[in-house]
Amino acid sequence: MELPKFLLGDNTDYPNGIYIVHTEFPRFVINLENDELEWLEEFSKEDQVELEAETENMINAATAFYDREVSRYDD
């Protein structure tokens, strides 16, 4: 099965949460409500340095995905 790069997640136990799942490496879940990020990968020390530099870009991409998806409901 081919998965899209981002998935929108929802859970009624967390009604204010806005979850975006990034399905490609590095896999993560971000809650856009509070920008809390949960990595779904194990990283070496070298990977962590590179990821710290790219984290802002990944959050921006996840936010742009959410904004695009929400705007499609307005059309």
Side-chain angles (χ1 to χ4, degrees):
M1 168 188 341
E2 187 174 331
L3 295 174
K5 184 175 183 174
F6 291 106
L7 298 170
L8 190 57
D10 192 18
N11 188 307
T12 57
D13 291 337
Y14 303 92
N16 296 324
I18 302 169
Y19 300 98
I20 305 296
V21 181
H22 184 257
T23 63
E24 297 176 357
F25 184 83
R27 295 176 305 142
F28 63 85
V29 177
I30 184 170
N31 182 350
L32 295 180
E33 174 192 24
N34 56 17
D35 289 338
E36 187 175 341
L37 192 74
E38 180 73 30
W39 297 105
L40 303 175
E41 310 279 356
E42 296 288 327
F43 301 110
S44 67
K45 291 268 188 205
E46 296 81 22
D47 289 339
Q48 286 179 331
V49 171
E50 184 176 333
L51 285 172
E52 287 175 7
E54 286 297 315
T55 298
E56 184 176 348
N57 292 335
M58 288 185 239
I59 291 171
N60 289 337
T63 302
F65 163 77
Y66 175 77
D67 291 342
R68 185 192 78 194
E69 292 297 300
V70 169
S71 74
R72 290 179 176 175
Y73 285 108
D74 294 337
D75 293 339

